[in-house]
Amino acid sequence: MTDIAKRAREITSLRDFLALLEEAGQAITWSERVMPEPDVRNVAVAASRDANGAPAIVFDNIAGYPGKRTAVGVHGSWDNIALLLGRPKGTSIRELFFEIVGRWGDAEAQISYVPEAQAPIHECRVESGINLYDILPVYRINEYDGGFYLGKASVASRDPEDPADFGKQNVGIYRLQLQGPDSFTLMTIPSHDMGRQIMAAERTGLPLKIAVMLGNHPGLAVFAATPIGYEESEYSYASAMMGAPIRLTKSGNGIDILADSEIVIEAEMQLGERVLEGPFGEFPGSYSGVRKAPIFKVTAVSHRRDPIFENIYIGRGWTEHDTLIGLHTSAPIYAQLRQNFPEVTAVNALYQHGLTGIISVKNRMAGFAKTVALRALSTPHGIMYLKNLIMVDADVDPFDLNQVMWALSTRTRADDIIVLPNMPAVPIDPSAVVPGKGHRLIIDATSYLRPDPIGEAHLVNPPTGPDIDALSKKIRVMQGGASA
Amino acid sequence: MSETTCPRCSSAGAVADYRGVEAGALIWTIHRCVVCCFSWRDSEPPSAIGAGVRSGDFAVDAANLDRYPKILQQ
């Protein structure tokens, strides 16, 4: 095992990862004094121009927030993702894709529990007089956001109807807008696990308690953003991918949380209540609208001494959002397609959560690539997100856009482009005429394949004539002689 | 016009949620509109919080809050 691979397996926290990144020149401390707005946003955007090599940035001199720190861009480049996976800087995206694919479901989860009294997350605890602004150096992520957002929080929650089930406990990244010192709104949709749990709680009147983890193990942050099954555990997946234990402890309100997170906010949903939320500069690069969202009341906060508030820049790409979830959007689609179609050789769904996807496939028969495309649209992620699909041959690397453009230029026939109207769509797609519904595009850029040479069809000529007529009559007579 | 008028919906009566203080000096204040739920810091650039400067595309009509959809309806 290389030294980098060994170091990656030893990561248990954001601090561990920042130390590894700093040694590799992939994290810098920005000590020049900045205003929360617009300086933090400007620096984050400037860094994210380099999707391959952008460093994480830790701000430690923010006007009005003496002694507080905030980190952005922790997963903001392919080099940072490579180091997380124990691979050297410069590893190609294609190699990283197959690194993740190779680890997908390949290892056993290792979950360990740390007693609450020994967990670093509980070093400091606030249970009364809570003011989140005392702890979080927030800033407006995009200029016209409706408020101050926590954009990279991993929200843990138990299924309100089956709270003892570890697998049904969900961990997901949802945008949270502060709504005063001790309240926040959470935006989700019914197809997300969190949306399902909110609707279940409001249907049954059961309480919904959550734990909002900020500044987390970088492997967990990746899986909190990955579309896995409802009854599957993000903690287990993160452990399996890292090939190392994940340390959990209990939050004060009884939820499994990472023992080494920087900050955990415990909160309870106010059943049936909604307040205005948004807009927010979202991953398609446009603002979502203003909607009425569920509101949560904060009941306690735990945090490490001198905590680091980790946040994200998200907006018009390329941003950390894309490097955080790009490969973990591609890998499950690939795994699901391969169950039916081993001819699929790679899936690139890096672009804005897979709004555009590129799939390479060995054509089994004429038109086969389009069949694979239709299957991709019925994968869990494809149902809402895969809007534009480009199908290329296996000799084209879907991660090399020069090769993809070559295939588009030389192998596309206009009558092999399909538009599927009025399909489900992610509601924040700005191109939709009606939010939540839209057209899908399949471009078959695979090379032309002739149909199998099965020959011309010739008509079958069944026997006819008086003899057949007589036989038919005889059969009816025989039928009539039978008892009813 | 009150200094706590909301720059997004023009309602009066916004509350102060937090003050950024360094060595006893006030650096900025975070305000929140209780009508349209907009939060802002008074040190932000006029393009974001300036009356008459901020883009009208992002205004909220305080007299017509029913127009905004409710998510996760049963």
Side-chain angles (χ1 to χ4, degrees):
Chain A
M1 187 181 292
T2 65
D3 184 52
I4 297 174
K6 183 169 177 292
R7 288 288 305 279
R9 282 176 183 258
E10 291 169 353
I11 294 170
T12 64
S13 67
L14 172 65
R15 295 182 189 204
D16 290 344
F17 190 44
L18 284 173
L20 175 61
L21 293 176
E22 189 174 5
E23 286 175 33
Q26 287 302 122
I28 61 175
T29 300
W30 193 278
S31 293
E32 193 177 320
R33 186 170 172 83
V34 292
M35 288 299 290
E37 300 85 15
D39 296 343
V40 173
R41 172 197 318 143
N42 289 349
V43 173
V45 168
S48 67
R49 283 184 176 178
D50 177 9
N52 287 323
I57 297 172
V58 179
F59 296 91
D60 65 357
N61 186 5
I62 310 168
Y65 292 126
K68 295 191 176 77
R69 295 182 290 171
T70 188
V72 297
V74 173
H75 297 78
S77 63
W78 297 121
D79 279 348
N80 286 15
I81 299 294
L83 291 166
L84 174 62
L85 294 170
R87 299 291 298 268
K89 290 167 62 174
T91 303
S92 72
I93 300 171
R94 183 182 177 85
E95 287 178 282
L96 295 176
F97 170 76
F98 283 107
E99 179 76 40
I100 289 172
V101 164
R103 297 181 185 201
W104 201 259
D106 191 42
E108 290 293 319
Q110 306 168 60
I111 305 294
S112 65
Y113 277 91
V114 180
E116 290 170 57
Q118 296 171 20
I121 180 57
H122 291 310
E123 284 173 351
C124 306
R125 183 141 176 99
V126 184
E127 295 184 337
S128 63
I130 296 167
N131 189 331
L132 294 177
Y133 296 109
D134 280 334
I135 302 162
L136 309 175
V138 294
Y139 53 92
R140 195 180 305 283
I141 294 176
N142 274 296
E143 188 171 21
Y144 293 110
D145 290 348
F148 300 105
Y149 274 86
L150 315 184
K152 200 180 178 184
S154 293
V155 180
S157 57
R158 294 186 178 278
D159 184 314
E161 294 179 286
D162 194 2
D165 190 310
F166 181 78
K168 290 181 182 174
Q169 185 170 242
N170 180 55
V171 183
I173 294 181
Y174 306 96
R175 72 191 212 202
L176 310 176
Q177 180 185 339
L178 296 190
Q179 300 277 358
D182 62 352
S183 299
F184 58 84
T185 40
L186 183 151
M187 177 56 73
T188 184
I189 55 178
S191 65
H192 288 159
D193 292 353
M194 189 78 230
R196 181 171 164 175
Q197 293 185 349
I198 288 172
M199 294 181 81
E202 295 194 327
R203 188 176 61 248
T204 59
L206 293 166
L208 181 62
K209 297 176 180 180
I210 65 174
V212 176
M213 300 181 284
L214 290 160
N216 302 317
H217 186 304
L220 189 274
V222 165
F223 272 103
T226 300
I228 61 174
Y230 181 75
E231 297 187 9
E232 295 180 308
S233 166
E234 288 80 4
Y235 292 128
S236 299
Y237 265 94
S239 168
M241 184 191 79
M242 297 301 294
I246 289 283
R247 284 161 42 97
L248 298 182
T249 191
K250 292 288 183 193
S251 64
N253 58 357
I255 296 166
D256 293 315
I257 57 172
L258 292 167
D260 301 283
S261 287
E262 295 291 322
I263 302 158
V264 170
I265 303 165
E266 299 168 14
E268 181 167 348
M269 187 173 72
Q270 308 299 290
L271 292 175
E273 290 189 26
R274 300 287 187 276
V275 303
L276 287 188
E277 191 270 359
F280 183 60
E282 271 287 0
F283 69 85
S286 49
Y287 288 95
S288 63
V290 178
R291 298 181 175 87
K292 292 173 182 163
I295 187 161
F296 289 74
K297 185 82 171 175
V298 179
T299 52
V301 180
S302 284
H303 64 87
R304 296 179 69 159
R305 278 186 283 274
D306 195 17
I308 304 169
F309 169 53
E310 187 189 5
N311 212 350
I312 194 170
Y313 177 73
I314 176 174
R316 185 165 168 181
W318 194 271
T319 76
E320 182 182 1
H321 173 276
D322 302 305
T323 38
L324 171 65
I325 69 172
L327 289 173
H328 280 76
T329 300
S330 306
I333 297 170
Y334 173 80
Q336 288 149 10
L337 289 177
R338 293 271 296 186
Q339 289 174 359
N340 304 109
F341 301 124
E343 295 86 355
V344 172
T345 56
V347 173
N348 173 354
L350 303 181
Y351 303 101
Q352 285 63 60
H353 216 347
L355 288 182
T356 292
I358 306 162
I359 299 174
S360 58
V361 59
K362 296 172 187 166
N363 260 323
R364 190 197 300 172
M365 61 195 87
F368 180 67
K370 287 189 275 295
T371 304
V372 174
L374 293 171
R375 174 69 185 93
L377 296 185
S378 67
T379 58
H381 191 73
I383 290 170
M384 295 287 276
Y385 289 87
L386 292 178
K387 181 175 69 168
N388 309 314
L389 272 181
I390 302 170
M391 307 301 294
V392 296
D393 288 300
D395 67 344
V396 173
D397 178 1
F399 294 101
D400 183 338
L401 295 189
N402 285 330
Q403 292 189 36
V404 174
M405 287 304 294
W406 173 81
L408 279 172
S409 303
T410 63
R411 293 179 171 173
T412 305
R413 296 157 304 280
D415 57 356
D416 274 341
I417 293 173
I418 302 169
V419 175
L420 298 164
N422 298 320
M423 301 281 282
V426 64
I428 56 175
D429 178 359
S431 74
V433 176
V434 179
K437 199 172 181 183
H439 308 331
R440 303 300 184 95
L441 173 67
I442 298 171
I443 300 176
D444 185 351
T446 60
S447 48
Y448 179 74
L449 198 63
R450 291 183 181 280
D452 286 348
I454 55 173
E456 293 182 23
H458 297 283
L459 289 178
V460 172
N461 292 312
T464 58
D467 292 346
I468 301 301
D469 292 344
L471 285 171
S472 183
K473 187 175 180 181
K474 181 178 179 180
I475 288 168
R476 285 199 296 274
V477 170
M478 292 172 72
Q479 262 186 302
S483 58
Chain B
M1 186 176 283
S2 160
E3 66 177 2
T4 52
T5 295
C6 174
R8 180 164 80 166
C9 75
S10 301
S11 298
V15 297
D17 274 342
Y18 192 71
R19 292 179 173 83
V21 176
E22 290 182 30
L26 178 66
I27 308 298
W28 42 252
T29 301
I30 288 178
H31 300 278
R32 174 169 48 92
C33 174
V34 295
V35 176
C36 80
C37 299
F38 184 64
S39 293
W40 74 97
R41 194 185 328 261
D42 59 11
S43 60
E44 293 189 63
S47 57
I49 64 168
V53 179
R54 181 183 153 86
S55 169
D57 291 345
F58 296 93
V60 164
D61 182 0
N64 191 19
L65 297 181
D66 289 341
R67 63 172 284 206
Y68 298 102
K70 176 181 172 183
I71 70 160
L72 301 175
Q73 295 195 63
Q74 299 288 340

